[in-house]
Amino acid sequence: MNWTKFLAETNHRMGALSKEVPDTFAGFGAMSKAAKTNGALSEKTKELIALGIAVSTRCDSCIGFHVKSLVRLGTTRDELCEALAMIAYMGGGPSIAYGAKALEAYDEFSAT
């Protein structure tokens, strides 16, 4: 999968939906901003939690968005892999398969 292209297509689809339900997207955007604010937990820690949920729920788009944020936040490949090991422990086989997708996305986003 080309993760960059996939996320661009996802953003395009979400843009079309946001025109139909702008209040929903405004609310989601505000919630996102509030949730990611550094506090007792860093934004990076919060994004690792979000990645765990994305892998566990098997959401390709979510995996892409959160991995891209983790790259932006300076997450190392080792940090990502340790998080993916914990995610696999908690989620079993499906989390291993989707964790592999997350690693693939990391390698693509960190190469650019």
Side-chain angles (χ1 to χ4, degrees):
M1 174 185 301
N2 179 318
W3 286 92
T4 302
K5 181 179 176 188
F6 175 70
L7 286 186
E9 292 167 350
T10 300
N11 279 326
H12 178 74
R13 286 189 297 273
M14 288 175 29
L17 180 58
S18 74
K19 290 177 184 174
E20 301 299 323
V21 290
D23 291 344
T24 299
F25 274 76
F28 188 76
M31 187 170 51
S32 172
K33 182 179 178 182
K36 292 180 182 186
T37 300
N38 284 314
L41 297 176
S42 68
E43 182 183 1
K44 183 176 174 180
T45 298
K46 293 174 181 187
E47 286 292 348
L48 287 167
I49 293 167
L51 179 62
I53 295 166
V55 168
S56 297
T57 59
R58 301 177 192 110
C59 177
D60 286 338
S61 299
C62 302
I63 289 168
F65 287 126
H66 294 295
V67 168
K68 191 169 186 179
S69 290
L70 285 164
V71 169
R72 174 183 55 79
L73 293 167
T75 305
T76 67
R77 197 172 196 274
D78 286 344
E79 289 172 321
L80 183 83
C81 287
E82 281 191 26
L84 292 174
M86 187 65 182
I87 294 164
Y89 163 64
M90 295 302 295
S95 290
I96 290 172
Y98 278 80
K101 287 183 170 192
L103 182 58
E104 176 186 68
Y106 178 87
D107 287 342
E108 180 180 324
F109 293 138
S110 63
T112 58

